[in-house]
Amino acid sequence: MNAIVVIPPVFDFYYTPHRSSGLGAEVVLRLLTESGWQARLLNFPRLAKKAKKQSLPPVLDHLKPCLIDGEFGKTSFFNQYKRFGPCLEECARQTLVSGPDVIFISCFAYCYAQTALDLARQIRQSDPRPMIVVGGAGVSAYPAFFLDNAAVDFALTGEAEVSLPVFLDTITSGSGDYDRVPNLFQKNNADIRPPIKVKQTDAGEIAFVLNKTFETSGAVYYSTTLSRGCPKACRFCSNFISHGRQFRTVPLETIRSFLQGLTRSEIEPDKQVLINFEDDNFLCNAPYFFKVLDVFKMVFPKAGFLAENGIDYTLITPEILEKLIRYGMKQFNLSMVSVDEQMLEHEQRAACLKQYETITNVLEKHGIPCVTYFICGLKHDTREKIVETVCYLAGQPTRVGISFFYPVPGIPGFTGKKIFTGIHPTLCAGSSVYPWNRSLSTREMITAFRLSRLVNLIKTDERTTIDDMVVGKSIAEHRLFTLLKKGGNAELMPVPDMDDRMVDLFFGRLPANLLERCL
């Protein structure tokens, strides 16, 4: 049997390299080959060398008042919608060139569901013969949305390790008994049949994948994940939908065996090796995590480590922090959510600002970069709460990272799938800045984004002359300014369509020590 695993192109304002690691698709590819199938992976977002500018889709018309054509610089918002990867027609052509019997389309986030379905439709129109199966976290969130599309035959939810081998055996044996496949949604005439059996991995079943995501002149970047499931119940998180609540980790021997199988050129590159851990809850079992780092250090003695998806700072004790520094954590991306206690309580998220400040002060002493992320647009957000969080972080030794709230079908408050009827999945992307909770408007959330970027510009020691002009003008006039490309030159301009009340609150509360850096 011949199969193709496909990661569709991405339509968005941005797409960072570590997001294209395709770890789940790599697991599918491995399970296919282990089952004796001929298989290959097409990670389309990584196949195009340059993103291609696209027209803003009508579903994002609410952003138009806040987009500035030709804007650039360190206080700018997104202004170019892009396609990362080839066009859908080319993706379908490459997918079908080897005559696959089965095509597995990976959708790692529900916000990209429509592109996955558009690709399935394009493939089906070109060749009706292959079976088309969709899977990934986006599918697990709302399998019926995918199966309602005529181009899709099956939807595999949850983890591939427990469902795919049985699914493949059902195909090759010709039994047609798909009811025995765990986590499989299938069509029954006009109805959708949910799985009879729902199953999650045991620790020993979890596949370990280490993917090279990108390379610079001085470093090679890899991404991996160590765990499944999360025992916490933060209301905004969708991790449990695919992986459940029980925390479990890849066995150390599995990791050791995989690393020992690497080639010499992979083990000894003439560059710095940086390993990014995509799971943000690995410190739920800190002793295990440090044993993993020991295993990596045996293979990559000079490796550095990253956690791009963020670390819950409440899991970092002084002892853990010192060990992370010694082991070579190159940057700390910390997740805070908010500084407002009532909102944190509603979101079921722990907090301890004294602990946070201890961490950031230690990092500052060691000269280690730190970015702290908060979420904008939660149910109980207000202008005042957002400004309080931004100004608090402005006074700490950290850069400010902002994440816009977006729902995934199935999280608390969004469990009813009817909520998403008639709503384009693209609105479930953070970059769409859609006011899902109606607590803040799109304008207010984008104002918060620009305020966060202004704080970071003020804090940097590498400001250019024109950066100084942006900062100085903004502070002098208590108004946001940005840069515009005009006739090959950079022109300073006030940002239109900002929330004036939020801007006034910000400049009224900006810490004095930060203002001193601008003098």
Side-chain angles (χ1 to χ4, degrees):
M1 300 291 286
N2 181 9
I4 298 291
V5 184
V6 174
I7 300 177
V10 167
F11 292 79
D12 208 330
F13 289 99
Y14 72 97
Y15 194 64
T16 53
H18 72 270
R19 295 178 72 199
S20 64
S21 62
L23 298 180
E26 285 285 351
V27 171
V28 173
L29 180 66
R30 184 183 302 175
L31 292 171
L32 281 162
T33 56
E34 289 175 354
S35 296
W37 286 50
Q38 292 182 347
R40 64 189 183 107
L41 170 63
L42 293 172
N43 189 339
F44 285 119
R46 295 176 63 181
L47 290 182
K49 294 182 179 180
K50 188 176 181 181
K52 186 172 180 60
K53 185 177 178 180
Q54 307 288 296
S55 298
L56 191 73
V59 69
L60 297 180
D61 278 350
H62 64 282
L63 292 175
K64 282 185 175 179
C66 300
L67 303 182
I68 304 172
D69 190 37
E71 182 187 20
F72 74 103
K74 297 168 186 172
T75 60
S76 65
F77 185 63
F78 311 124
N79 58 42
Q80 285 193 3
Y81 199 69
K82 302 173 183 177
R83 185 188 73 229
F84 299 85
C87 66
L88 292 176
E89 292 80 5
E90 175 60 18
C91 291
R93 188 194 68 78
Q94 292 189 37
T95 300
L96 291 167
V97 71
S98 62
D101 301 296
V102 184
I103 298 167
F104 294 89
I105 299 179
S106 173
C107 180
F108 81 94
Y110 178 70
C111 63
Y112 300 132
Q114 192 59 55
T115 302
L117 292 176
D118 290 343
L119 178 58
R121 187 182 299 110
Q122 186 70 44
I123 291 170
R124 184 67 78 206
Q125 289 174 354
S126 300
D127 188 344
R129 293 172 298 176
M131 177 189 292
I132 297 180
V133 184
V134 293
V139 176
S140 297
Y142 196 176
F145 179 79
F146 292 83
L147 283 179
D148 278 339
N149 190 288
V152 175
D153 296 305
F154 294 98
L156 279 169
T157 63
E159 302 165 284
E161 293 95 332
V162 297
S163 59
L164 189 56
V166 183
F167 181 69
L168 298 177
D169 180 68
T170 303
I171 294 174
T172 54
S173 68
S175 71
D177 184 13
Y178 291 103
D179 287 342
R180 71 190 186 100
V181 182
N183 309 334
L184 179 70
F185 284 75
Q186 54 186 305
K187 295 179 179 180
N188 182 17
N189 297 322
D191 298 324
I192 294 173
R193 182 186 298 171
I196 293 175
K197 183 177 183 181
V198 176
K199 189 177 185 299
Q200 291 174 346
T201 56
D202 295 324
E205 296 176 295
I206 303 174
F208 178 74
V209 179
L210 180 70
N211 259 13
K212 179 180 173 182
T213 51
F214 68 109
E215 187 171 352
T216 66
S217 59
V220 181
Y221 291 78
Y222 291 92
S223 279
T224 189
T225 184
L226 304 173
S227 65
R228 300 278 176 86
C230 183
K232 295 179 285 186
C234 305
R235 289 176 56 84
F236 49 81
C237 181
S238 62
N239 178 292
F240 72 95
I241 295 175
S242 294
H243 299 147
R245 298 286 189 193
Q246 183 182 1
F247 182 74
R248 52 212 189 276
T249 56
V250 180
L252 286 171
E253 188 51 45
T254 300
I255 300 172
R256 186 179 292 110
S257 176
F258 180 94
L259 295 179
Q260 288 174 347
L262 296 177
T263 65
R264 180 159 294 279
S265 62
E266 292 172 314
I267 294 173
E268 297 179 0
D270 190 25
K271 297 180 180 181
Q272 165 86 67
V273 172
L274 292 169
I275 311 293
N276 172 47
F277 298 103
E278 291 195 0
D279 36 351
D280 54 6
N281 55 357
F282 49 76
L283 289 181
C284 286
N285 186 345
Y288 162 83
F289 178 64
F290 286 111
K291 289 177 182 177
V292 169
L293 295 187
D294 283 332
V295 173
F296 270 99
K297 284 290 189 178
M298 290 292 292
V299 178
F300 302 106
K302 297 180 181 180
F305 301 101
L306 301 166
E308 296 280 358
N309 282 350
I311 307 173
D312 180 352
Y313 74 86
T314 63
L315 298 175
I316 303 176
T317 65
E319 180 185 14
I320 288 175
L321 180 60
E322 292 293 342
K323 288 186 72 173
L324 288 171
I325 293 171
R326 289 199 305 271
Y327 271 86
M329 189 68 74
K330 296 297 182 182
Q331 176 172 300
F332 282 72
N333 291 21
L334 305 176
S335 55
M336 171 172 280
V337 183
S338 174
V339 297
D340 185 82
E341 293 182 2
Q342 288 185 334
M343 191 156 66
L344 287 169
E345 183 178 354
H346 179 267
E347 298 297 334
Q348 298 177 202
R349 180 74 171 206
C352 179
L353 293 185
K354 184 178 180 181
Q355 180 181 359
Y356 168 77
E357 290 168 9
T358 299
I359 292 167
T360 54
N361 286 330
V362 170
L363 294 177
E364 183 182 34
K365 290 177 182 177
H366 284 274
I368 298 175
C370 172
V371 185
T372 305
Y373 288 87
F374 71 97
I375 300 177
C376 183
L378 292 167
K379 186 175 183 179
H380 297 286
D381 252 336
T382 64
R383 293 185 183 110
E384 290 74 16
K385 290 177 181 179
I386 289 296
V387 170
E388 180 187 8
T389 297
V390 173
C391 288
Y392 170 79
L393 294 175
Q396 306 303 316
T398 182
R399 283 182 289 152
V400 183
I402 180 171
S403 299
F404 297 116
F405 172 80
Y406 60 89
V408 169
I411 69 170
F414 296 89
T415 54
K417 300 300 192 290
K418 288 184 179 180
I419 298 172
F420 300 90
T421 301
I423 294 181
H424 200 287
T426 294
L427 294 179
C428 292
S431 59
S432 296
V433 203
Y434 189 69
W436 282 95
N437 286 310
R438 308 297 174 189
S439 57
L440 295 172
S441 67
T442 295
R443 176 190 289 110
E444 288 167 336
M445 289 190 281
I446 293 178
T447 300
F449 179 94
R450 290 183 178 276
L451 291 173
S452 299
R453 297 202 72 171
L454 177 60
V455 167
N456 292 339
L457 182 58
I458 293 172
K459 286 186 172 188
T460 184
D461 295 323
E462 300 177 356
R463 290 200 304 264
T464 64
T465 301
I466 200 161
D467 289 337
D468 286 335
M469 290 173 60
V470 172
V471 171
K473 192 81 167 169
S474 297
I475 291 175
E477 298 192 17
H478 283 201
R479 188 174 182 181
L480 292 174
F481 282 79
T482 189
L483 297 173
L484 191 67
K485 289 180 181 176
K486 203 164 185 180
N489 297 315
E491 181 178 293
L492 195 65
M493 67 168 287
V495 176
D497 211 54
M498 289 290 92
D499 186 79
D500 294 334
R501 175 59 181 156
M502 184 177 284
V503 173
D504 288 342
L505 285 170
F506 170 80
F507 284 110
R509 299 182 184 180
L510 199 61
N513 66 330
L514 195 63
L515 290 172
E516 290 173 0
R517 298 187 63 163
C518 307
L519 300 178

